[in-house]
Amino acid sequence: MPPALTTDLTAALRPLLAELHHTPDLFQTWDAHLELVAAGGLVVVKSKRAKGVVDSLFWGRAPKATENKQLPEATAFAAIDRFLGLGAHLALSDALPEGTVLDETYPHCAVKFSYRKKGAPKAKSLSMIFIGFNDETDAMAYAERSGDTLPLVTSRPLMSGKLHEWR
C-alpha cells in the first residue's frame, strides 16, 4: 500500500503553533513537546500551561556539536515553522524498528501536542513523527527507497497505541 501524505496535518498544525507562540492567552491549557532534527542540528520546544502556570524551555544543538544550548523562543518556533512549511510530509505509523534510524538528509520532527482553547468543549491532541520533503515527488521517492524498513502511514486517520492524528 502506498504511503499517505500528511501535509494537510502539518498545514493545520502550523497556524495553530503560530497562534500558541504569538497569542498564548487564547489557550486555556496546552502541553507541547516538539523535537526537530534538521541539517544535523536539533531544536526542542517544550511548553506547558496548566492551572494558569506556564512552564517553557527552548533548546537546541548545532550540527556536530555535543552540547545543548538554550534558544530564544522565537528562534525555536521559527525552525519548527520552516519545517511545517515544507512542500510535503510523510509520517511514521509506529516506533522505528530496533536499530533503524531516520535519514538525517531529510528533516524530521516528533510532535506531541495537546491543547484546549478557551471556551472549547474539549481538549484536542496529536502525537506523530513527521518527515519533511520539498515536494510530493521527493516524498514518494523516499518512501519507495525506504521500502518496508520504515513504518510509514499508509491509511488515514492514524490511530495507534502511541501515535495518532487529532482526537
Side-chain angles (χ1 to χ4, degrees):
M1 191 174 235
L5 291 169
T6 56
T7 309
D8 61 320
L9 279 174
T10 55
L13 182 60
R14 188 178 189 197
L16 190 58
L17 289 174
E19 196 173 50
L20 178 65
H21 172 57
H22 295 293
T23 52
D25 44 330
L26 296 176
F27 295 81
Q28 183 173 330
T29 62
W30 72 79
D31 189 353
H33 185 160
L34 296 94
E35 295 187 18
L36 170 65
V37 175
L42 173 70
V43 173
V44 177
V45 170
K46 287 185 80 166
S47 183
K48 183 175 185 173
R49 178 179 181 173
K51 298 181 183 177
V53 177
V54 175
D55 185 22
S56 298
L57 182 62
F58 310 98
W59 57 274
R61 183 172 50 244
K64 300 189 193 290
T66 57
E67 194 174 307
N68 296 325
K69 297 194 178 203
Q70 194 165 351
L71 295 174
E73 179 179 356
T75 302
F77 272 104
I80 300 291
D81 185 65
R82 279 191 304 277
F83 171 79
L84 295 174
L86 290 173
H89 294 90
L90 294 174
L92 298 181
S93 61
D94 202 357
L96 289 174
E98 183 83 22
T100 305
V101 293
L102 291 174
D103 184 347
E104 284 191 23
T105 308
Y106 299 94
H108 45 281
C109 186
V111 176
K112 189 169 177 101
F113 181 48
S114 61
Y115 73 95
R116 182 174 179 183
K117 284 194 169 183
K118 289 183 177 174
K122 65 179 187 170
K124 289 185 151 194
S125 71
L126 172 85
S127 180
M128 296 191 75
I129 301 169
F130 297 104
I131 307 167
F133 304 91
N134 290 329
D135 55 36
E136 289 184 25
T137 305
D138 284 346
M140 291 303 135
Y142 177 85
E144 192 173 304
R145 280 192 312 276
S146 67
D148 293 332
T149 60
L150 289 180
L152 295 173
V153 171
T154 56
S155 64
R156 308 239 343 252
L158 171 66
M159 293 292 169
S160 70
K162 292 189 180 209
L163 301 174
H164 57 85
E165 291 186 30
W166 291 116
R167 63 176 179 191

